[in-house]
Every structure is written in structure tokens, then in C-alpha cells.
Amino acid sequence: MIAALQMYDWPEVREATDLWWKAVADCLGVDIALSRPDEFAMPWLRDDLLFAQTCGYPFTHALKGKVAYVGTPHYAADGCGGPNYRSIVMAREARPLEAFRGGVAAVNTPDSMSGMLALKLVFSALAEQGQFFAGAVETGGHLASLAAVQKGVADVCAIDCVCVEMARRYRPAALEGLVEAARSPAVPGLPWITGAGDVTALRSALRKTFADPSLADVREALLLSGFSELPVIAYDRITDLEAAMEEAGGLRLFDGSGLA
């Protein structure tokens, strides 16, 4: 069995992540340490997946019908509301969105809700025949996207509001010289999933872990404030927004060459 929680597993909170997972595992009666493979998406489709967190876009696309939904965490971050969250568009200066036309966008990965689709949702209304940006760079991660905008390699990026809050707390230098330019529509946050685990047992373990007063500091370090057991169709919000955007003309970030 494998468990992996790499979506917000920054080095600054790795100890807290391990402690939080150990508490969940103890409630489940299993002795499984967290795995941290170089390819963070690798565990999601493993037959022996006990517990993991994925992004909403893979959950509604590549993973649809292939994994079981467990729950959606709540984060104490500006831009979050219960199980929902937004992305924050960051730039070097606050300008009307139209002023970014012809610029370069930084995108963490092409299958990211928070870094790709959120950016498209913000700028698509301004696109003409699918075009708005002159190009896009794939950075591999939100922190790298922030760095690309800081360095002038890109002009804007969309960053998961939980990552922005973590940067404020743990890496303020990552936000130096950057300002908020816009916010994306709210969607359900990054879901916890399982492949081989018992959803009922996992939810029971999570409830116990959130109720444990001895873990208050651990939860606070991870910005965790609770979780929801949403109906899976709540995540249709992501595909509905995407479909409406595409029907209205869409916005292309990447083609076969990697440019808009």
C-alpha cells in the first residue's frame, strides 16, 4: 500500500505532514510511511493506493471514474471558503487585465486546475479567436511560476491561494515584487482520493484526526481547518466552467510547440 501527500508538501512543513499522516494511519491501524516519488502523479493510479491528494483537474479528467473520492480539505487561507478555493493571478504590477494582452503566461503544468484552467478562466473573456497571450512557459510548479514572473520570464501566473498563503508564511521572498491582479472563480479544492482504501474508514480516521486537540499545532502549520465530504458531482463545477469557456471561444495557452 502507498500513501502520498505531495501537493502542499513543502520542506518547511514536511515534518508536520508526516505527523498528520501518522495520526491518520494510526486511526486506520496501518503502519505506512508517506511516499514522496519524484513524479508526484505516479501514485494516483496505483492499484495499492491507500490515500493521496490530487488536483481537481486530473480528478475530473484523467482520473475520472478510476479513483474513489474521500474528502475535500478546508484551508485557512485568503481565497478559501470551506471546501472551495480560488487561484490568485500574480503579476509584477497591478494593471487592467487587458494590459497583459500579448504578454507571456507562466503555467505550472498543462493539467493543473489552479495554474492552467484558472488562468484561462480569468483571461478567456478577453481572448479573440482563442488568442490573448503571445506565449506561455511551463514551469513545473507554482513556486517556479512565481519566480518566472519575478524574473521577467513571464508576465502573469495563476497560483493556488493555499500556495500563496504558504508563501506568505514560509517563503515571503517568493512574493517579493509581485501583486495580485485578479482572482479566478471558486471551485472545490484539491480532493483526497483512494484506490485500494476503504472510504468509510478513511473518513472516520480523518474526523478523529481533526478532532484531536494534540494535533492543533500540526493542523495549523498545514493550514488545515477541517474537511467536507462532498458529492462527487460537486466537482462538475470544474468541467462546467471549462465547457462554458470553450463554448464562448476559449483561450489557447499551448499548442504542439508549447506556445500559445
Side-chain angles (χ1 to χ4, degrees):
M1 300 284 275
I2 186 173
L5 292 169
Q6 294 174 268
M7 302 307 285
Y8 298 120
D9 190 29
W10 293 21
E12 293 89 341
V13 297
R14 191 152 293 169
E15 181 180 359
T17 303
D18 285 331
L19 289 170
W20 187 81
W21 167 247
K22 185 179 185 308
V24 175
D26 286 347
C27 290
L28 291 170
V30 299
D31 184 14
I32 299 173
L34 284 176
S35 294
R36 292 183 168 95
D38 292 336
E39 174 48 58
F40 68 87
M42 181 274 289
W44 296 342
L45 284 175
R46 281 184 48 155
D47 292 339
D48 61 347
L49 175 64
L50 175 59
F51 192 70
Q53 186 175 31
T54 185
C55 175
Y57 197 85
F59 182 66
T60 54
H61 290 73
L63 300 178
K64 187 175 178 64
K66 299 177 182 178
V67 296
Y69 168 78
V70 176
T72 305
H74 302 178
Y75 291 95
D78 179 23
C80 289
N84 297 317
Y85 82 127
R86 301 175 186 270
S87 288
I88 300 176
V89 175
M90 305 296 291
R92 290 184 299 279
E93 58 180 317
R95 293 188 282 169
L97 295 182
E98 174 62 36
F100 294 103
R101 182 181 298 277
V104 175
V107 178
N108 56 339
T109 62
D111 65 346
S112 170
M113 172 61 234
S114 57
M116 179 278 296
L117 184 56
L119 189 73
K120 294 172 86 172
L121 292 172
V122 169
F123 286 97
S124 61
L126 301 174
E128 297 174 0
Q129 297 182 333
Q131 299 289 340
F132 182 82
F133 296 110
V137 293
E138 183 178 347
T139 66
H142 281 313
L143 287 170
S145 293
L146 289 170
V149 177
Q150 282 180 320
K151 296 173 183 176
V153 175
D155 299 295
V156 292
C157 62
I159 306 297
D160 172 347
C161 66
V162 179
C163 286
V164 174
E165 193 68 31
M166 291 181 71
R168 288 192 185 106
R169 179 180 295 195
Y170 299 114
R171 298 192 190 183
L175 299 175
E176 286 182 1
L178 301 180
V179 297
E180 178 180 332
R183 295 192 177 196
S184 73
V187 299
L190 282 64
W192 287 318
I193 59 170
T194 187
D198 182 307
V199 171
T200 300
L202 284 163
R203 288 175 172 175
S204 176
L206 288 166
R207 286 192 288 270
K208 291 176 183 176
T209 304
F210 276 103
D212 187 343
S214 71
L215 295 170
D217 289 345
V218 169
R219 292 191 298 269
E220 197 273 338
L222 299 173
L223 307 181
L224 288 169
S225 59
F227 81 104
S228 291
E229 299 168 14
L230 300 174
V232 174
I233 60 171
Y235 281 85
D236 288 352
R237 164 92 169 142
I238 292 173
T239 50
D240 288 347
L241 284 169
E242 183 180 45
M245 176 194 67
E246 295 296 344
E247 185 177 350
L251 187 157
R252 290 189 293 277
L253 288 174
F254 297 96
D255 59 19
S257 67
L259 296 179

